[in-house]
Amino acid sequence: MAQLKNSVDGYGWISIVLHWLMALTIFGLFGLGLYMVELTYYDAWYKGSLDLHKSIGIILALVWIARVIWRFSNTTPQDLGDKKWEHQVAHLVHLLLYLLMLALFVSGYLISTADGRAIEVFGWFEIPASLMMDNQEDIAGVIHWGLAWSLMGLVALHALAAVKHHIVDKDRTLVRMLKSH
């Protein structure tokens, strides 16, 4: 029977849904970001794409917080296999994924609030501007760009490792993130 919570044997539906919801949203934001940087101020969707990117980014940050809370308040499934170094690398990569996402949220916030205006999230609520520095938008923009590409590189490594576990090691690592136990 499928479970909502994790166990030592596998992930529950809440962890699985949060994982894939965030993964798909991150890919979408990355694609939208690549599209946005090619637009000029006079393009029809210039402001709309920025507003959408910011709003989805804030919602993703809230989901990220929920996911971190869920992760630390829930059982962690046992590592599969007996390669201790591989388990350590996997844990490091997961930590880096979480930290890169956090840094992306902060740098995106700094870009979006550099002019002192709040971030409006789908007209539902606003995130106020609080930090102001010289060249904030430019500095945060360069950092955000580098972090986004770094995240995509680490996500690729993460995905390749999951496929390697499935095809080479023939273990349940990938399957555990596709269906609840």
Side-chain angles (χ1 to χ4, degrees):
M1 178 180 190
Q3 295 183 353
L4 289 177
K5 295 179 83 175
N6 300 347
S7 73
V8 294
D9 296 321
Y11 294 98
W13 279 114
I14 293 174
S15 292
I16 292 169
V17 168
L18 287 171
H19 174 272
W20 291 108
L21 174 68
M22 290 187 69
L24 293 172
T25 304
I26 288 166
F27 288 133
L29 283 173
F30 184 73
L32 181 56
L34 290 176
Y35 171 74
M36 285 175 7
V37 297
E38 298 300 319
L39 296 175
T40 67
Y41 181 79
Y42 299 103
D43 284 306
W45 211 50
Y46 177 77
K47 182 172 177 1
S49 65
L50 289 172
D51 291 344
L52 182 63
H53 190 85
K54 292 176 197 180
S55 291
I56 293 173
I58 294 294
I59 299 298
L60 183 62
L62 295 174
V63 172
W64 179 90
I65 291 168
R67 185 172 178 191
V68 168
I69 291 168
W70 182 254
R71 181 175 169 93
F72 287 108
S73 65
N74 215 318
T75 301
T76 301
Q78 277 184 323
D79 293 324
L80 299 176
D82 56 0
K83 298 176 187 165
K84 186 175 179 170
W85 69 268
E86 199 171 71
H87 300 157
Q88 291 172 332
V89 170
H91 291 289
L92 176 62
V93 167
H94 282 107
L95 176 63
L96 288 173
L97 286 167
Y98 281 101
L99 291 175
L100 279 170
M101 285 183 269
L102 177 60
L104 271 162
F105 300 139
V106 171
S107 62
Y109 169 82
L110 291 173
I111 296 165
S112 301
T113 58
D115 61 1
R117 287 185 284 165
I119 302 170
E120 187 176 315
V121 182
F122 294 120
W124 302 335
F125 60 93
E126 290 184 347
I127 305 294
S130 60
L131 295 171
M132 302 290 288
M133 300 177 275
D134 289 339
N135 299 322
Q136 178 174 318
E137 185 175 13
D138 295 333
I139 294 167
V142 168
I143 292 169
H144 195 72
W145 181 87
L147 290 169
W149 280 100
S150 297
L151 181 62
M152 289 298 105
L154 203 55
V155 163
L157 177 67
H158 178 68
L160 286 172
V163 170
K164 175 247 182 214
H165 275 278
H166 190 71
I167 294 172
V168 176
D169 299 341
K170 298 189 185 320
D171 67 27
R172 296 189 70 246
T173 300
L174 177 61
V175 174
R176 290 194 312 181
M177 195 43 77
L178 293 174
K179 62 181 184 177
S180 181
H181 55 283

